[in-house]
Amino acid sequence: GAVVSQHPSRVICKSGTSVKIECRSLDFQATTMFWYRQFPKQSLMLMATSNEGSKATYEQGVEKDKFLINHASLTLSTLTVTSAHPEDSSFYICSAIRTDTQYFGPGTRLTVL
Amino acid sequence: QKEVEQNSGPLSVPEGAIASLNCTYSDRGSQSFFWYRQYSGKSPELIMSIYSNGDKEDGRFTAQLNKASQYVSLLIRDSQPSDSATYLCAVPRGYGGATNKLIFGTGTLLAVQP
């Protein structure tokens, strides 16, 4: 069964609004979670590493003030896309580590109109 | 040079044939390697992991690793139409296992023809 869940699975919003995506580890604690983004016909690109109880670390070129990450508990990390624009439309996927394996959530498809 | 390289395909094979998917990586110190399968519109799912030179078999899947050549491959025997997907090769950045951030190749699209 699934070990990582994401919510929502799909979201459509207007330009300028903020969207929050939740990533939960199911039945295990994850001190580290990763957030990836995938544009159509491209591979997964790591956006940031989410660390429980501390600040997230962002990959080069990813705006930390635009993509806010909060890892407030050992089973939940959230990604908030602030002031979303059409170019932020993408497939956002989180992952969590259990027994030295990265498991991916089902993904959230964001469409910004 | 990209950190992880794959042929984007599509790789088309007839049903029942062996599909061979290849991946090269640039960091000679990499210790672990992962193959993920991604169906269209879905997130990746882990197929195989390999850490040592040689072959590792799991059902119809065989991963092959050659660290000297910085090359890892995935063989799918008796290919089925349900195997049609994009196969992603992933290597952790830095030295360590999957607890590190994964760097993905662009993926190879496999199409198994009935």
Side-chain angles (χ1 to χ4, degrees):
Chain A
V3 297
V4 179
S5 69
Q6 274 185 251
H7 178 80
S9 59
R10 190 178 295 267
V11 58
I12 300 173
C13 70
K14 293 182 178 180
S15 185
T17 61
S18 294
V19 174
K20 180 184 285 188
I21 303 170
E22 293 185 348
C23 177
R24 292 182 185 274
S25 57
L26 305 177
D27 300 324
F28 70 100
Q29 296 179 337
T31 55
T32 301
M33 294 183 178
F34 298 101
W35 286 96
Y36 295 82
R37 179 169 55 179
Q38 186 176 36
F39 292 107
K41 299 193 182 303
Q42 295 186 24
S43 191
L44 279 76
M45 295 298 293
L46 180 68
M47 298 176 66
T49 303
S50 174
N51 303 296
E52 189 270 335
S54 63
K55 290 183 179 180
T57 54
Y58 292 80
E59 294 300 298
Q60 189 173 12
V62 178
E63 299 175 58
K64 62 179 181 180
D65 295 329
K66 180 171 182 62
F67 299 99
L68 301 179
I69 292 173
N70 184 7
H71 195 151
S73 78
L74 287 171
T75 60
L76 174 64
S77 174
T78 61
L79 168 68
T80 301
V81 183
T82 63
S83 186
H85 288 96
E87 57 266 30
D88 298 322
S89 298
S90 188
F91 192 42
Y92 291 86
I93 311 171
C94 70
S95 71
I97 297 164
R98 188 179 77 172
T99 58
D100 202 37
T101 297
Q102 265 195 54
Y103 292 93
F104 287 85
T108 296
R109 189 162 301 282
L110 171 63
T111 303
V112 184
L113 302 176
Chain B
Q1 182 186 8
K2 290 183 180 178
E3 293 181 81
V4 181
E5 295 203 54
Q6 295 180 255
N7 187 321
S8 61
L11 173 66
S12 183
V13 300
E15 184 175 355
I18 296 175
S20 177
L21 305 160
N22 304 316
C23 171
T24 58
Y25 58 94
S26 61
D27 186 349
R28 185 170 290 278
S30 296
Q31 299 293 317
S32 53
F33 308 86
F34 303 88
W35 283 100
Y36 285 84
R37 177 176 63 197
Q38 186 177 27
Y39 291 111
S40 180
K42 303 294 185 182
S43 66
E45 57 179 318
L46 183 66
I47 298 295
M48 292 280 289
S49 59
I50 187 166
Y51 303 89
S52 304
N53 276 329
D55 295 359
K56 178 182 178 183
E57 187 174 317
D58 183 1
R60 296 188 295 113
F61 299 96
T62 299
Q64 299 176 318
L65 175 61
N66 183 326
K67 290 185 179 180
S69 300
Q70 295 175 239
Y71 176 95
V72 58
S73 64
L74 179 70
L75 301 179
I76 305 175
R77 290 182 300 281
D78 187 24
S79 296
Q80 301 297 309
S82 58
D83 295 326
S84 298
T86 297
Y87 289 80
L88 301 165
C89 173
V91 180
R93 178 175 288 165
Y95 304 117
T99 53
N100 288 345
K101 53 189 74 173
L102 290 177
I103 306 303
F104 285 87
T106 53
T108 298
L109 177 61
L110 172 66
V112 181
Q113 307 300 325

